[in-house]
Amino acid sequence: MAEKRQTGATRGASPRWRRTQPAEVRVDDLMSAAAALFVARGIEATTIDDIVGRAGVAKGTFYHYFSTKSDVLVALRSRFAQDFLARVAASIGARAADDHAGRLSAWLSGAVGTYLANYELHDVVFHDFPHSQRQSQEKDDVIAQIVALLEDGRKAGVWAFPDARSAALIVFDGMHAVVDDAIVSGTRDPGPPCRLLEEMFTRMLATPHT
């Protein structure tokens, strides 16, 4: 009897369990549902009803955290950027602090791998960032990560460049361009673009005596 009561309680608790989840869990559910739908259907074709239906929450829950789909898109953009930074940082952190070439290689590996794995979501959340919009906090955060990596190498005498931010922008935009080209050609293997980029950037950054 105890086992039956436990089973019944478990079944009956499912809706209540969802309603009593912490706010961050409910927000994450909504964002994940929106991300999947935006990729599959497009932003315009996705309704708020679609999002709450996929997330399994009431419509009022959506409006408790977001006012519009645009708010969800902004949140997804921030989450994408933070996830990108965290994944790349973990890749860099696996290399020794004085292995500057290895840390650059790790940045490229983390960046290319993450981009290739999530380019559809990337294209959705950054769809309204044309070249005419020349700055964003998300891009600046990534550039700062690259600047720190390059400056460490320059201080150690491994690399030479006139301006760290300009060098970081070349690394970032060059990575994007090469990976975009790989996506167009149907390539999903991060190995070839990583090797190409590593060779090019290593030569570009090398001190004159190396």
Side-chain angles (χ1 to χ4, degrees):
M1 292 294 291
E3 183 177 351
K4 289 182 179 179
R5 286 197 298 271
Q6 183 178 11
T7 302
T10 300
R11 289 175 181 169
S14 181
R16 293 194 297 274
W17 175 84
R18 182 171 292 279
R19 287 197 298 270
T20 58
Q21 285 303 289
E24 62 271 18
V25 174
R26 284 177 287 176
V27 171
D28 190 68
D29 285 346
L30 285 164
M31 290 172 61
S32 296
L37 290 166
F38 289 164
V39 169
R41 303 180 183 179
I43 297 170
E44 293 301 322
T46 299
T47 67
I48 291 174
D49 285 337
D50 293 333
I51 295 171
V52 299
R54 187 180 181 98
V57 301
K59 199 168 185 178
T61 301
F62 178 94
Y63 286 114
H64 183 72
Y65 299 106
F66 305 104
S67 296
T68 64
K69 287 190 297 182
S70 295
D71 289 343
V72 183
L73 196 62
V74 170
L76 282 171
R77 184 179 299 150
S78 178
R79 187 172 76 169
F80 185 98
Q82 291 305 313
D83 181 65
F84 181 93
L85 287 168
R87 288 173 181 268
V88 174
S91 185
I92 296 171
R95 301 296 184 99
D98 60 351
D99 181 11
H100 302 289
R103 288 167 73 82
L104 175 60
S105 176
W107 187 89
L108 288 169
S109 177
V112 172
T114 302
Y115 190 15
L116 278 174
N118 299 282
Y119 75 90
E120 291 177 319
L121 179 58
H122 171 277
D123 290 352
V124 167
V125 300
F126 292 103
H127 76 285
D128 59 348
F129 270 69
H131 289 295
S132 58
Q133 186 166 339
R134 301 188 184 279
Q135 189 174 18
S136 71
Q137 185 60 55
E138 291 82 9
K139 182 174 180 178
D140 279 346
D141 289 342
V142 177
I143 296 303
Q145 185 183 57
I146 305 171
V147 166
L149 187 155
L150 296 182
E151 284 286 17
D152 286 344
R154 178 162 66 174
K155 291 174 184 176
V158 176
W159 297 320
F161 42 82
D163 178 73
R165 180 172 173 83
S166 295
L169 286 167
I170 292 171
V171 170
F172 178 80
D173 290 335
M175 181 276 294
H176 262 274
V178 169
V179 176
D180 283 341
D181 195 56
I183 292 169
V184 170
S185 68
T187 300
R188 298 296 180 268
D189 178 5
C194 278
R195 288 190 290 271
L196 172 64
L197 289 165
E198 183 177 354
E199 180 179 358
M200 292 175 63
F201 292 147
T202 298
R203 292 183 179 184
M204 178 189 80
L205 296 167
T207 56
H209 61 274
T210 59

